[in-house]
Amino acid sequence: MSYQLTIEPLGQTVEVEEGQTILDAALRAGIYLPHACCHGLCATCKVQVLEGEVDHGVASTFALMDFERDENKCLACCAIPQSDVVIEAEIDEDVDAQNLPVRDYTGKVIRLENLTPTVKGLWIELEQDIEFQAGQYVDLHLPEGIGGRAFSLANPPSTGKVVELNIRIVPGGKATTYVHESMQVGEEVRISGPYGRFFVRKSAEVPLIFMAGGSGLSSPRSMILDLLAEGFSLPITLLYGQRSMAELYYHQEFLALAASHPNFTYVPALSAEPEGSSWQGFRGFVHDAAIAHFNNDFRGNKAYLCGPPLMVEACIGSLMKGRLFERDIYTEKFISAADAQQVRSPLFRAL
Amino acid sequence: MDTQVTKKKLGLKERYKLLTRDLGWETTFHSREEVFPYVHYEGIKIHDWDKWEDPFRLTMDAYWKYQAEKERKFYAIIDAHAQNNGHLNLTDAHYLTAIKIFLQAITPGEYCAHKGFARVGREFGGVGTQVACQMQSLDEVRHAQTQIHAMSNYNKFYQGFHAFSDQRDRIWYTSVARSFFDDALSSGPFEFMIAIGFSFEYVLTNLLFVPFMSGAAYNGDMATVTFGFSAQSDEARHMTLGLECIKFMLEQDPANLPIVQKWIDKWFWRGLRILALVGTMMDYMLPKRVMSWKEAFDIYGIENGGALFNDLARYGVRAPKGWGDAAAAIDHMSHQLMLGLYQWSFGTAFHGWIPSDDEMEWLSAKYPDSFDKYYRPRWEHIKKLAAAGTPFKNYGLAKLCQTCQLPCVFTEPGDPTLICHREIDYKGEKYHFCSDGCKEIFENEPEKYIQAWLPMPQLFQEPLKGDLGAWMNYVSLVDGQDNGDFDGSQDQINFDKWRGMATSNK
Ligand SMILES: Cc1cc2nc3c(=O)[nH]c(=O)nc-3n(C[C@H](O)[C@H](O)[C@H](O)COP(=O)(O)OP(=O)(O)OC[C@H]3O[C@@H](n4cnc5c(N)ncnc54)[C@H](O)[C@@H]3O)c2cc1C
Ligand code: FES
Ligand SMILES: [Fe+2]
Ligand SMILES: [Fe+2]
């Protein structure tokens, strides 16, 4: 049986499975709670329980003392909810987060289009409007026992009932193969969402850099369309990497946007375009394009990175060497089952 | 009835800001440079102290409340341990060798850390930093005290505990840890943070405390386990302080990178030398073993350290220079140092012994590439000599490394049969080193290390003038009681007798 866990001051609610810890549930839902040892020893993950019951598990009596248990504190890394629970954690409120509720939606496929040889555009008309922040993703539920997979919304929030997903085929991948080969217009689909904390920190009022690779264009596209539509006037730069011209979907759209919006700069980069083709733009990886375009100095910006883990990692390294650091970098990694989780140190919180 | 309007609670960040705002006043009598004179001379450039975050945001009153409660709990357990003859629940009295080394070499380091953090808390600008350093300073003095108190019960019954502070200052195998802390204490504030806050608290702490504490748990030493838990609840704050400091330096100015890199290289190597002592303890001294030193290094060194250096690479930091040499030395370090400790066991304030057949089996299994080939034959030979009544003792004195102060017992990176020696002539004097790592550290700051106090040369100076008996008095070592073979020692005889009384009707 599962319980609801509400995390204050975010006000966000997530599901907790039987036997799952508060920390695990929060991290899986994309909510960072401070933690270090994960074994009830260091007390880094201490949180206040406002409502509900928890089992303290293996919490050390030195890391969580008796008087703290009496005050309803718990260690998130080993506390297991025994009822619906509300906690208050040491997280800074994010003024740009709208904390929109996650809902289940049903809809119909209204359009399918090959955007490139490997990316399929999928348009779904939902039975009701979905409210989300540009940059967030949904879980797409597929039949034949495939289950749910994460895909970012490629449309801006203003399109109401109609949502767009751009789905790259993964060799041997069940869900993406289904979308590419079996899905039909008119078919009924279910999505749930919106999920994720990848959205523009508009309140910071600084110039924005977007770096997208592969199918990672979806979120930045939604974010940029949203920003331009509402008249955001600071500089926006999109660095967009694909292998070749054939893969460079929405290229014309961004050229047109750049022409009509003086504050929007578009920098496409191709990493495997055949030698001697008609391509006049940058050749190489997206992080190299960024270094060249910004002359290796990213200070004063906020950067939003979206795409495959390797690309995101390369971009983080380049940004940091160009003096933009964790507090100004936001990422969405398109992780699939094939990406083994790398062991990370506690040096960075969320990067 | 009126409903009460609930005021929106302040966020933690705001609350902390309000609680600490009066600590960060603008100085008017003197310039900031005069008030904080030490933050500049190391060459580290800082532009904005507010960027150094203290993510814990713990206030002083909350801190007192927690620590007081920890003390209460700790002493309740320690008292119970003493009253229930906890010292007879050990697997064997030779386990205490590990604890003697800990008390002589490591506990005084806690005290040094306390002094160091008190100092840098004053020297750094920035309120969050000052508060965090002050708390760590208090934590460290508490660690030193609780460790001494936890082990004081053993002092009532066993040898070698009575003079740990003299031995810390004066004896030879503890000087690796003493010189590490002396070096850190006499560095500038930022280097101190890399030495203790980063290298010691993050890179080394798991390798040091986890083996000792789990060794204690495996061998029935509840006193040590208890201070381990009590100290571990402070560790996250310490580790965070070190990590925040290194990030802060790297983010403040690109000119800081080469300075930080040099410190990382230096303090990694110095830390590895302390770990030789820990590795020896793990592989040879615990009656019931937890894991081998090599296994511990694979998990905490290669895996966790590797993850850290991967992350630091984003700033342009590379893995410490000695990383490769360290990995190559892991198969050999503990064996080489143990052979040293055995042959000079007349000069150690703990007992030595030849590993049993069982223990040698375990060592071969844990070190398939090195033990049977290089070290078993030596122990077999030593065993033969002991059986013939002519035990192998080396009455010559060890040559100490000028930097790490361990005897030069380690071998060349590529050849485990050749002792590694390095030498430098500096201002008409010859200096000796155990490794390239230690030699390079000297070369970077020769004027610092020529002042190093080394225990072996001291023996030949006033007032000892080479008299071994006088030296034993000087280091508070009682010959025939604290030192020599465990077999036949008072520790062994008493433990067996008392345990017999405690577990039978005799
Ligand atoms: C937040 C988020 C947003 C995303 N947004 C998008 C988007 O907008 N567009 C997009 O195209 N993609 C996006 N992705 C990636 C997308 O979710 C994956 O590509 C998708 O889940 C793959 O599903 P699949 O069923 O096709 O592949 P799966 O069957 O899940 O497997 C993927 C690959 O891994 C292999 N594999 C499976 N299990 C293992 C295993 N245990 N070990 C090793 N290999 C294994 C498979 O053979 C296959 O090659 C996003 C991912 C995340 C996390
Ligand atoms: S993360 Fe260390 S106690 Fe929970
Ligand atoms: Fe400590
Ligand atoms: Fe050395």
Side-chain angles (χ1 to χ4, degrees):
Chain A
M1 138 144 217
S2 71
Y3 296 114
Q4 303 275 323
L5 166 68
T6 306
I7 301 169
E8 301 291 0
L10 300 181
Q12 206 160 317
T13 300
V14 304
E15 293 277 300
V16 198
E17 296 303 322
E18 174 100 49
Q20 192 180 19
T21 64
I22 289 179
L23 179 66
D24 192 59
L27 292 178
R28 277 174 201 280
I31 300 171
Y32 177 84
L33 297 183
H35 62 283
C37 73
C38 295
H39 294 293
L41 294 173
C42 72
T44 311
C45 62
K46 197 182 294 165
V47 297
Q48 179 74 49
V49 179
L50 299 174
E51 279 168 40
E53 292 284 322
V54 302
D55 175 347
H56 292 298
V58 297
S60 144
T61 52
F62 283 99
L64 186 69
M65 284 172 294
D66 295 340
F67 80 87
E68 296 177 289
R69 293 171 200 235
D70 294 342
E71 290 170 1
N72 283 329
K73 300 259 176 24
C74 77
L75 300 181
C77 71
C78 37
I80 297 164
Q82 306 293 309
S83 67
D84 287 351
V85 165
V86 182
I87 61 162
E88 185 181 29
E90 308 219 353
I91 23 187
D92 299 325
E93 248 169 298
D94 190 335
V95 293
D96 296 295
Q98 291 174 20
N99 296 317
L100 299 168
V102 173
R103 296 217 170 88
D104 295 324
Y105 298 86
T106 336
K108 271 199 170 53
V109 176
I110 53 168
R111 189 174 146 206
L112 279 163
E113 187 184 317
N114 290 329
L115 296 172
T116 81
T118 62
V119 180
K120 182 85 95 182
L122 161 64
W123 284 260
I124 302 167
E125 184 170 341
L126 304 172
E127 285 170 358
Q128 62 187 114
D129 284 5
I130 176 172
E131 229 191 318
F132 68 97
Q133 287 185 263
Q136 288 190 295
Y137 69 92
V138 294
D139 244 352
L140 174 66
H141 299 273
L142 295 167
E144 302 176 3
I146 296 174
R149 296 288 192 281
F151 295 100
S152 302
L153 292 159
N155 56 298
S158 55
T159 56
K161 284 193 178 55
V162 177
V163 296
E164 172 185 348
L165 305 177
N166 301 156
I167 296 181
R168 163 155 286 171
I169 189 155
V170 174
K174 285 196 210 126
T176 53
T177 306
Y178 176 87
V179 170
H180 275 254
E181 291 172 7
S182 312
M183 190 171 260
Q184 300 296 327
V185 172
E187 184 172 328
E188 183 167 293
V189 285
R190 270 187 321 115
I191 64 171
S192 52
Y195 293 108
R197 305 190 63 77
F198 191 62
F199 43 78
V200 178
R201 272 49 177 191
K202 292 176 185 168
S203 63
E205 297 182 6
V206 294
L208 304 175
I209 302 172
F210 292 92
M211 300 168 88
S215 54
L217 183 67
S218 323
S219 293
R221 176 169 181 259
S222 170
M223 293 155 123
I224 290 168
L225 292 176
D226 183 46
L227 288 163
L228 293 178
E230 65 177 36
F232 185 87
S233 59
L234 292 167
I236 301 173
T237 307
L238 170 64
L239 298 130
Y240 171 34
Q242 290 292 9
R243 289 177 55 75
S244 62
M245 269 160 81
E247 293 290 346
L248 202 63
Y249 63 103
Y250 288 133
H251 179 54
Q252 294 305 330
E253 179 186 69
F254 287 118
L255 287 175
L257 284 172
S260 57
H261 295 84
N263 64 326
F264 176 59
T265 309
Y266 172 51
V267 184
L270 299 181
S271 60
E273 174 68 10
E275 214 52 56
S277 76
S278 63
W279 180 246
Q280 300 290 315
F282 188 88
R283 286 170 188 264
F285 289 113
V286 64
H287 60 277
D288 291 324
I291 294 171
H293 184 79
F294 284 89
N295 203 9
N296 198 24
D297 183 358
F298 300 102
R299 286 175 298 178
N301 294 283
K302 275 193 185 284
Y304 295 86
L305 324 182
C306 190
L310 273 179
M311 171 232 141
V312 170
E313 186 54 40
C315 290
I316 292 172
S318 305
L319 289 170
M320 294 202 8
K321 288 182 193 94
R323 317 221 49 79
L324 193 74
F325 301 109
E326 183 170 24
R327 64 177 70 78
D328 295 311
I329 301 177
Y330 303 86
T331 65
E332 188 82 288
K333 289 182 197 163
F334 281 9
I335 294 167
S336 80
D339 300 301
Q341 279 295 328
Q342 211 191 332
V343 187
R344 295 228 73 101
S345 78
L347 193 65
F348 299 105
R349 302 177 129 220
L351 273 193
Chain B
M1 217 179 82
D2 286 351
T3 46
Q4 213 147 20
V5 182
T6 46
K7 250 200 274 166
K8 190 173 173 351
K9 274 206 334 203
L10 286 174
L12 284 152
K13 210 175 197 168
E14 283 77 52
R15 234 186 301 161
Y16 185 73
K17 216 180 224 156
L18 290 173
L19 282 164
T20 55
R21 68 187 156 184
D22 293 336
L23 297 172
W25 68 86
E26 284 303 318
T27 59
T28 48
F29 296 164
H30 296 282
S31 68
R32 262 191 89 81
E33 281 63 38
E34 287 171 301
V35 176
F36 300 108
Y38 298 108
V39 290
H40 301 292
Y41 81 97
E42 296 169 283
I44 293 290
K45 294 198 173 76
I46 303 300
H47 307 287
D48 181 3
W49 279 98
D50 288 340
K51 287 267 157 47
W52 185 330
E53 287 192 38
D54 174 17
F56 280 91
R57 301 192 191 112
L58 186 61
T59 54
M60 214 62 213
D61 59 333
Y63 174 82
W64 288 126
K65 189 171 157 196
Y66 288 125
Q67 301 308 76
E69 181 70 18
K70 282 186 203 168
E71 293 284 90
R72 254 197 300 280
K73 192 166 215 108
F74 173 80
Y75 284 103
I77 299 176
I78 293 302
D79 284 350
H81 176 260
Q83 276 163 21
N84 297 329
N85 284 324
H87 72 100
L88 295 179
N89 293 332
L90 301 173
T91 44
D92 192 74
H94 84 223
Y95 159 76
L96 292 170
T97 306
I99 291 307
K100 292 174 193 177
I101 294 184
F102 195 92
L103 185 62
Q104 295 161 9
I106 307 299
T107 299
E110 303 269 16
Y111 187 73
C112 290
H114 146 69
K115 289 202 291 187
F117 279 103
R119 194 198 92 203
V120 296
R122 168 63 186 83
E123 291 180 359
F124 283 133
V127 171
T129 320
Q130 291 165 351
V131 173
C133 288
Q134 183 186 13
M135 286 177 187
Q136 182 157 0
S137 174
L138 292 165
D139 293 338
E140 301 298 2
V141 82
R142 194 179 76 85
H143 295 177
Q145 279 179 352
T146 49
Q147 287 170 21
I148 294 164
H149 288 155
M151 292 182 231
S152 66
N153 187 47
Y154 295 125
N155 182 40
K156 292 189 204 148
F157 303 101
Y158 304 99
Q159 315 297 349
F161 286 98
H162 60 286
F164 68 91
S165 67
D166 283 351
Q167 283 145 11
R168 177 269 177 190
D169 286 349
R170 299 175 176 180
I171 225 164
W172 52 282
Y173 55 87
T174 54
S175 52
V176 63
R178 176 186 48 74
S179 71
F180 179 103
F181 282 98
D182 285 354
D183 193 348
L185 282 175
S186 51
S187 302
F190 284 108
E191 183 177 353
F192 175 83
M193 287 300 292
I194 293 287
I196 309 299
F198 175 74
S199 170
F200 201 79
E201 293 287 350
Y202 185 73
V203 186
L204 307 178
T205 213
N206 282 332
L207 278 163
L208 191 103
F209 283 92
V210 177
F212 265 110
M213 297 316 143
S214 30
Y218 269 53
N219 289 281
D221 176 6
M222 288 332 282
T224 299
V225 170
T226 306
F227 85 58
F229 275 127
S230 156
Q232 207 161 5
S233 56
D234 300 326
E235 284 315 317
R237 246 184 308 113
H238 300 179
M239 204 172 84
T240 306
L241 183 57
L243 292 179
E244 287 299 324
C245 177
I246 196 167
K247 285 168 71 173
F248 177 65
M249 284 189 261
L250 292 167
E251 293 180 12
Q252 282 290 306
D253 199 289
N256 296 341
L257 174 62
I259 304 175
V260 170
Q261 180 74 57
K262 209 169 226 167
W263 288 338
I264 290 179
D265 292 347
K266 168 178 169 180
W267 290 100
F268 169 74
W269 192 256
R270 296 226 57 177
L272 185 76
R273 281 301 184 237
I274 296 191
L275 291 176
L277 218 48
V278 180
T280 307
M281 184 280 291
M282 292 179 76
D283 285 344
Y284 284 90
M285 295 176 187
L286 298 179
K288 196 166 160 53
R289 309 284 158 86
V290 180
M291 54 164 80
S292 67
W293 154 246
K294 183 183 163 78
E295 288 165 326
F297 190 80
D298 282 347
I299 299 175
Y300 300 113
I302 308 276
E303 206 168 284
N304 295 3
L308 175 71
F309 288 107
N310 268 340
D311 283 348
L312 279 171
R314 292 166 165 181
Y315 288 111
V317 171
R318 52 158 176 70
K321 212 175 196 172
W323 190 256
D325 282 354
I330 295 311
D331 267 329
H332 304 282
M333 266 165 79
S334 61
H335 312 297
Q336 294 173 349
L337 186 58
M338 186 63 195
L339 283 160
L341 292 172
Y342 175 81
Q343 62 184 289
W344 289 300
S345 73
F346 63 91
T348 60
F350 54 81
H351 301 113
W353 62 90
I354 299 167
S356 68
D357 292 346
D358 266 5
E359 286 170 330
M360 287 211 247
E361 269 317 298
W362 185 87
L363 288 163
S364 328
K366 295 295 179 184
Y367 292 91
D369 300 329
S370 63
F371 188 75
D372 283 347
K373 188 159 175 202
Y374 301 107
Y375 305 107
R376 183 191 282 276
R378 286 183 225 183
W379 285 117
E380 299 290 2
H381 180 67
I382 285 171
K383 209 161 139 185
K384 233 182 268 160
L385 290 177
T390 53
F392 181 69
K393 293 287 166 223
N394 181 348
Y395 288 104
L397 295 182
K399 182 199 283 181
L400 300 187
C401 170
Q402 185 74 20
T403 302
C404 73
Q405 306 205 4
L406 276 177
C408 294
V409 294
F410 301 110
T411 50
E412 288 289 345
D415 182 357
T417 61
L418 187 63
I419 297 279
C420 180
H421 273 153
R422 299 289 181 268
E423 263 179 28
I424 286 182
D425 286 307
Y426 184 78
K427 292 192 175 166
E429 291 274 350
K430 219 176 245 328
Y431 295 94
H432 305 282
F433 305 94
C434 71
S435 57
D436 291 323
C438 282
K439 176 168 163 264
E440 253 171 63
I441 293 170
F442 179 97
E443 284 168 330
N444 287 330
E445 292 167 280
E447 288 297 323
K448 182 169 197 177
Y449 295 100
I450 59 172
Q451 301 175 58
W453 182 92
L454 278 82
M456 295 304 176
Q458 176 63 47
L459 174 50
F460 292 101
Q461 291 163 15
E462 294 286 347
L464 307 171
K465 297 204 186 130
D467 178 344
L468 209 55
W471 175 80
M472 287 191 182
N473 285 338
Y474 170 72
V475 302
S476 302
L477 173 70
V478 184
D479 192 24
Q481 180 179 295
D482 300 331
N483 58 358
D485 275 350
F486 178 72
D487 278 333
S489 69
Q490 280 180 33
D491 277 9
Q492 186 208 26
I493 294 165
N494 287 339
F495 181 79
D496 289 350
K497 191 166 91 197
W498 296 331
R499 169 96 117 206
M501 278 160 44
T503 55
S504 72
N505 298 317
K506 270 182 259 158

